[in-house]
Amino acid sequence: MKRTSASQIRLHLIFTNKKTLLLNTKNNYMKNNRLQELDHSNFEIVKDEPDIRGWDVRYKNGEKIGSVEELILDTAAKKVRYMIVDLDENELRLEHRKIAIPIGFAELDSRTDDVLIPNVSVDQLCNLPDYKRSELTPDFERRISSTFGRKVKVDPVSTNRRLEKEEKKKIEPVTNDDIDPDFYSHEHYNLDNLYKNRLHEAKNLRPKESDFEHGLHLWEKRSEGGVIDTSDLTDEERQRLLKYRRELYRERRYKNERV
């Protein structure tokens, strides 16, 4: 019978532990990350606030760019930072992919349930990096800011240090603590822009103005037992949610245009 040496046992344990850590990191990525997709978080849009997920995103002249698939939430600040736009069925001949646009660029149409981005150019849309939930990192955010012409602080990193950093990322949960605290103190993340075309609605929706800030308000899902964990949605469940939102949007958007 072949004997297993102590060194082989140690190597097996190291490999097993590393594999388990990688698996847990992948499964719990959004839980460990300060920035989370709203569908995978423990937050919801406050009742009577416009949930723009599913709405069409339109360009300066009304051309459809895509639709809002998801919102990226800053769980520490309890604010929306980005909207994820699916460029499917766009009218500008853009490549079908998903991109993240800072929420400060979004404006609600004054008449219809559409999201306008009048201050974003086609070149910027083309140059934005592809959105992937597993790659929502500080570097990704800086690339977005750079695309929109903002000068962001990027620390020079030596080749060896960069390689060490990349290896470390593979086995450790990624967080967004590497972002400067003042990073979001910029017009790109100003939620007031969302309501600039609907100021009358914003006032009606907020009888106690001192209790809220302008923008998309969030509340944490709670029950008598504490926080309700909704971050484990399967892909199938999430697709059903997306389909439901799109159907609601189309019903509202086109109800007055039916013959």
Side-chain angles (χ1 to χ4, degrees):
M1 180 177 179
K2 187 176 180 180
R3 297 181 61 183
T4 304
S5 67
S7 61
Q8 287 177 313
I9 293 174
R10 283 197 298 271
L11 285 173
H12 174 73
L13 289 173
I14 290 171
F15 176 77
T16 303
N17 291 337
K18 185 175 181 179
K19 185 176 180 181
T20 302
L21 181 57
L22 287 170
L23 183 62
N24 290 337
T25 299
K26 182 178 180 181
N27 291 340
N28 297 313
Y29 175 81
M30 293 306 287
K31 291 182 181 180
N32 295 327
N33 206 20
R34 178 172 55 82
L35 294 183
Q36 300 182 10
E37 289 183 351
L38 189 54
D39 270 344
H40 290 272
S41 75
N42 290 322
F43 292 84
E44 284 184 336
I45 300 293
V46 168
K47 185 179 179 181
D48 296 327
E49 288 281 341
D51 186 347
I52 64 175
R53 290 174 293 179
W55 291 21
D56 279 351
V57 179
R58 297 187 178 272
Y59 197 51
K60 300 174 184 178
N61 299 321
E63 301 99 325
K64 180 180 175 181
I65 294 172
S67 58
V68 181
E69 179 174 292
E70 184 57 286
L71 297 171
I72 300 299
L73 161 70
D74 184 333
T75 58
K78 297 182 181 179
K79 292 183 178 180
V80 173
R81 299 301 191 191
Y82 301 91
M83 61 178 183
I84 304 305
V85 179
D86 187 337
L87 299 180
D88 189 20
E89 298 179 357
N90 72 82
E91 297 172 354
L92 297 177
R93 297 183 179 179
L94 300 172
E95 178 187 355
H96 179 206
R97 59 197 185 96
K98 297 176 185 178
I99 57 175
I101 299 178
I103 195 65
F105 285 102
E107 300 176 13
L108 302 185
D109 188 277
S110 60
R111 296 169 298 172
T112 60
D113 286 346
D114 289 333
V115 179
L116 310 177
I117 50 172
N119 298 316
V120 177
S121 70
V122 173
D123 285 343
Q124 289 170 334
L125 291 172
C126 293
N127 291 329
L128 282 169
D130 292 359
Y131 169 73
K132 296 179 182 178
R133 184 158 61 101
S134 60
E135 298 177 7
L136 192 56
T137 64
D139 288 339
F140 178 76
E141 291 190 85
R142 294 188 186 101
R143 287 175 62 194
I144 292 173
S145 291
S146 178
T147 300
F148 287 112
R150 182 182 175 189
K151 293 183 179 180
V152 291
K153 181 180 179 182
V154 180
D155 296 326
V157 181
S158 66
T159 303
N160 290 337
R161 189 179 165 196
R162 184 170 63 250
L163 291 174
E164 290 175 2
K165 196 173 182 181
E166 289 174 356
E167 284 299 317
K168 191 176 180 181
K169 282 182 180 179
K170 291 179 182 178
I171 61 173
E172 291 185 359
V174 181
T175 66
N176 292 83
D177 297 331
D178 194 24
I179 282 290
D180 188 291
D182 295 326
F183 181 80
Y184 299 112
S185 300
H186 192 278
E187 194 66 16
H188 291 176
Y189 299 95
N190 184 358
L191 278 162
D192 288 347
N193 293 333
L194 195 69
Y195 271 105
K196 66 193 309 180
N197 302 322
R198 295 188 180 188
L199 292 179
H200 62 289
E201 291 186 22
K203 292 178 181 178
N204 293 334
L205 289 173
R206 297 171 182 77
K208 295 182 180 180
E209 208 49 52
S210 60
D211 294 343
F212 297 100
E213 293 181 4
H214 287 302
L216 290 170
H217 304 142
L218 304 162
W219 65 284
E220 195 167 4
K221 298 176 182 176
R222 294 186 178 275
S223 67
E224 295 180 359
V227 177
I228 303 172
D229 187 1
T230 60
S231 59
D232 291 328
L233 282 174
T234 65
D235 288 339
E236 184 180 352
E237 290 170 334
R238 189 164 178 274
Q239 288 303 316
R240 284 203 298 266
L241 269 177
L242 290 172
K243 183 179 179 181
Y244 175 67
R245 290 184 188 124
R246 291 295 300 163
E247 289 173 350
L248 284 180
Y249 163 81
R250 291 183 183 281
E251 184 178 345
R252 289 194 306 270
R253 176 71 171 79
Y254 301 109
K255 66 180 179 181
N256 297 323
E257 299 179 17
R258 293 173 183 168
V259 179

